[in-house]
């Protein structure tokens, strides 16, 4: 496995680049906007292809790099399903798996610092965001924070991992880079409590100042979604009601770009073909399955995903390959559900 821990000294943020092999797919956890060019340079140097950019939660101390990485690489943006961010390509739930080629991270819902906080675990390490820090824990005094929830996240979930599990947090303010679950059990002063009430008392009396960038970062990080207006202006979008009218027509092929786990959880539009977004480019290129489908049958491709972000990027790619009748469902399966579109499971 390729693993790089990257640091932003302004916000004391750790970002993590992971891949299974050189030349393979990569993901990044908790990227910082100001470091995006550095991440992309490293991706090129390691001969990787960035396919997913993940935030453990809605950050208050820096502006996320999710949107910039998506715009520069067409990668999938990922957060938990509780996020207040306007649009991310993929929203994960507790028990899901965050996957790229050769790697699968267990998705663990760990609220408390925020109500959209998640941790991501490999067999030997866990990325804890701001839930569990090295010799500390994330503050819980934000409007959507909750010390009781954080206690359950830490004691009920994270500390049940093997003691040897490496702990990689989203921040450190003293220069520490890694810990273990066993170390935090033994030496983290906030975890030496006998009850949830004692933990809540500690967290409610920290009296820490708000992050310096909070008033800027939180609104900015809630607006990371790809603007789909330009795709619509070019005539490459169908709203959910228009998509309902297109579904089932003999000259239309619905193309589902989501991953298998999303399809199982969210449902499938009847009759849709499954072409996961990472496989799209090869499918729409000359000789690819979708390119040949259009060439031989004249069908119109109607692409969709969870919230319209991946499909908006996909329809641009299809147009670039000369598939000029292609369009996408604006707002994705989320909009389809709100329009009472049929789904099968």
């Amino acid at each position: 496995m390729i693993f790089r821990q990257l640091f932003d000294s302004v916000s004391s943020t750790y970002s993590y680049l992971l891949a299974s092999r050189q030349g393979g797919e990569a993901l990044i956890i908790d990227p910082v906007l100001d470091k995006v060019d550095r991440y992309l340079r490293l991706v090129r140097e390691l001969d990787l292809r960035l396919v997913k950019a993940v935030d453990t939660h809605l950050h208050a101390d820096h502006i996320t790099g999710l949107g910039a990485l998506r715009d520069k690489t067409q990668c999938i943006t990922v957060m938990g399903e509780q996020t207040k961010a306007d649009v991310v390509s993929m929203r994960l739930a507790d028990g899901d798996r965050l996957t790229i080629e050769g790697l699968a991270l267990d998705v663990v819902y760990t609220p408390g610092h925020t109500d959209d906080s998640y941790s991501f675990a490999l067999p030997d390490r866990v990325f804890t965001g701001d839930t569990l820090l090295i010799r500390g824990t994330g503050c819980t005094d934000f409007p959507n924070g909750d010390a009781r929830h954080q206690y359950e996240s830490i004691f009920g979930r994270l500390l049940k991992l093997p003691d040897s599990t490496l702990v990689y947090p989203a921040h450190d303010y003293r220069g520490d880079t890694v810990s273990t679950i066993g170390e935090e059990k033994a030496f983290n002063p906030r975890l030496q409590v006998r009850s949830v009430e004692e933990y809540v008392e500690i967290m409610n009396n920290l009296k820490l100042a708000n992050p310096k960038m909070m008033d800027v970062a939180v609104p900015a990080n809630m607006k990371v979604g790809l603007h789909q207006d330009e795709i619509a202006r070019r005539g490459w979008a169908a709203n959910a009601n228009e998509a309902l009218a297109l579904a089932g027509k003999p000259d239309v092929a619905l193309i589902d770009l989501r991953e298998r786990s999303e399809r199982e959880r969210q449902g499938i539009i009847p009759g849709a073909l499954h072409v996961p977004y990472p496989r799209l480019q090869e499918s729409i290129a000359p000789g690819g399955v979708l390119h040949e489908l259009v060439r031989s049958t004249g069908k119109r491709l109607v692409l969709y995903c969870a919230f319209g972000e991946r499909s908006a990027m996909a329809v641009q790619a299809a147009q670039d390959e000369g598939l000029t009748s292609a369009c996408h469902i604006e707002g994705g399966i989320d909009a389809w559900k709100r329009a009472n579109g049929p789904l099968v499971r």
Side-chain angles (χ1 to χ4, degrees), residues 8 11 13-15 30-36 39 62-65:
D8 171 51
S11 61
T13 299
Y14 284 125
S15 305
D30 287 331
V32 176
L33 177 62
D34 291 344
K35 300 296 183 184
V36 162
Y39 305 147
H62 68 268
I63 297 176
T64 179

Side-chain angles (χ1 to χ4, degrees), residues 81-83 85-91 228 238-241 243-244 256-258 262-263 265-269 303-311 328-343 345:
E81 63 179 357
Q82 293 83 2
T83 183
D86 54 349
V87 177
V88 288
S89 295
M90 181 183 296
R91 298 190 184 209
Q228 298 179 35
N239 64 38
N241 288 323
L244 278 166
D256 188 346
L257 302 172
R258 296 170 300 157
E262 296 176 279
R263 286 160 53 88
R265 188 171 73 246
Q266 299 163 354
I268 304 164
I269 298 177
L303 305 153
Y304 73 92
C305 60
F307 301 98
E309 186 166 283
R310 277 169 283 181
S311 57
H328 86 119
I329 301 178
E330 201 167 22
I333 203 78
D334 183 60
W336 177 269
K337 286 180 180 177
R338 285 188 271 109
N340 295 316
L343 293 169
R345 295 184 182 273

Side-chain angles (χ1 to χ4, degrees), residues 39 68 102 104 136 206 249 285:
Y39 305 147
L206 292 178
K249 287 191 172 183

Side-chain angles (χ1 to χ4, degrees), residues 5 21 59 89 92 94 111 118 136 138 141 155 178 182 184 189 194 197 226 228 241 259 302 307 317 320 331 345:
Q5 183 179 38
R21 60 176 179 79
H59 294 285
S89 295
L92 298 172
D94 185 63
Y118 276 78
D141 56 356
F155 284 87
V178 62
E184 295 311 306
R194 290 163 293 187
E197 285 76 18
L226 178 72
Q228 298 179 35
N241 288 323
E259 296 186 0
V302 178
F307 301 98
D320 292 345
R345 295 184 182 273

Side-chain angles (χ1 to χ4, degrees), residues 69-90:
L69 287 169
R70 174 205 59 219
D71 294 344
K72 291 176 181 289
T73 69
Q74 287 72 58
C75 69
I76 297 171
T77 56
V78 184
M79 291 186 74
E81 63 179 357
Q82 293 83 2
T83 183
K84 306 287 192 304
D86 54 349
V87 177
V88 288
S89 295
M90 181 183 296

